[in-house]
Structures are given as structure tokens and as C-alpha cells.
Amino acid sequence: MSIAAIIETRDEGIVTCRPDHSVAEAITLLTGRRIGAMPVVDETGAVEGVFSERDVIRCLQTMGADALNAPVSDAMTSPAVTVGPEMSELEALALMTRRRIRHLPVVDNGRLVDFVSIGDLVKARIDTIEAEANAMRAYIRSA
């Protein structure tokens, strides 16, 4: 299954922040939406990085309390590892495993179109396997 197939049924908006937002503002977005990461985009919709819980911890460890007033651009992971909508779920899972990341911005023509987590990809993979198993059971029953 492609990433495009996974995201085509979504109707939720993508939570993003700008590089000039403060770390405190970004933390408020993360906690308010109960999410672990979000893409950081410029005014054109291009992905400049990803801001995650890990970035918060790393920033607090290096800057102390002053980190909360720092711009997200100082704390985000950049450059972001991105994928296109045509990538398969298995390729994306392999990339996440190799790079030790849990979130991928989906980019088409240089602009953010969605944001997928490892949980999204694992769910899609499980759904595919279950559909194949159900088809196999139905085939066996009909024989």
C-alpha cells in the first residue's frame, strides 16, 4: 500500500508550526493536541524540519529554562527526512527503522501534504495482512 492510499481517507488537519515560533508555543501545540511531533513549515508550505518531544528534551538539556524562549528553528531536527506519497508503507517503515525516527512529513512538489507516524504505517500494514488473511479464509471455505 502506498502512503497516498493511507492518507487519502484522512480528514484531520495537519498540526504545524513555524520556525520562528517559540519552543514554549510549540510545546503548547504538542500538548494541546496530544501529539508527539509536528512538521515545521515556512510560509510557502515547505518543510524546514520536524519538532518533537525528543527535541524538547534535548533543547532543555542544553539550554535550560531559556530553551522555552528560543525559536523552534534552534531546537527542531533539520533537515527533515521526508517521503513522497508514492512510497510504499514497507519502504517508509524501513526508512524509519534505519533513521531511528517515528514521524515522516509527506511532501509533494516541495510542499507538505500530510504527516505520518510509525503508528499510522503499522496500522495500515496490519489492516493489509488482516484483509489478506480474510480473503484466504473465504477462499478456503469456498473450495
Side-chain angles (χ1 to χ4, degrees), residues 85-106:
E86 71 286 343
M87 182 176 271
S88 76
E89 72 198 40
L90 289 176
E91 291 172 311
L93 283 167
L95 175 63
M96 290 174 136
T97 300
R98 227 179 14 260
R99 297 296 299 268
R100 296 179 171 261
I101 55 177
R102 297 178 288 172
H103 301 86
L104 288 170
V106 182

Side-chain angles (χ1 to χ4, degrees), residues 43-93:
E43 57 281 341
T44 68
V47 177
E48 293 198 5
V50 173
F51 183 75
S52 71
E53 296 164 328
R54 290 179 182 177
D55 295 318
V56 172
I57 299 301
R58 194 172 19 255
C59 186
L60 286 169
Q61 197 277 323
T62 58
M63 300 172 81
D66 292 337
L68 297 174
N69 297 318
V72 167
S73 59
D74 287 355
M76 68 185 182
T77 300
S78 180
V81 177
T82 63
V83 296
E86 71 286 343
M87 182 176 271
S88 76
E89 72 198 40
L90 289 176
E91 291 172 311
L93 283 167

Side-chain angles (χ1 to χ4, degrees), residues 4 6 8 10 13 15 21 34 36-37 41 49-51 53-54 67 69 73 79 82 84 105 116 119 125 132 134 138:
I6 293 169
E8 77 180 8
R10 291 184 179 197
V15 178
H21 282 167
R34 298 179 54 103
V41 297
V50 173
F51 183 75
E53 296 164 328
R54 290 179 182 177
N69 297 318
S73 59
T82 63
V116 294
R125 186 71 191 133
E132 291 170 356
N134 289 336

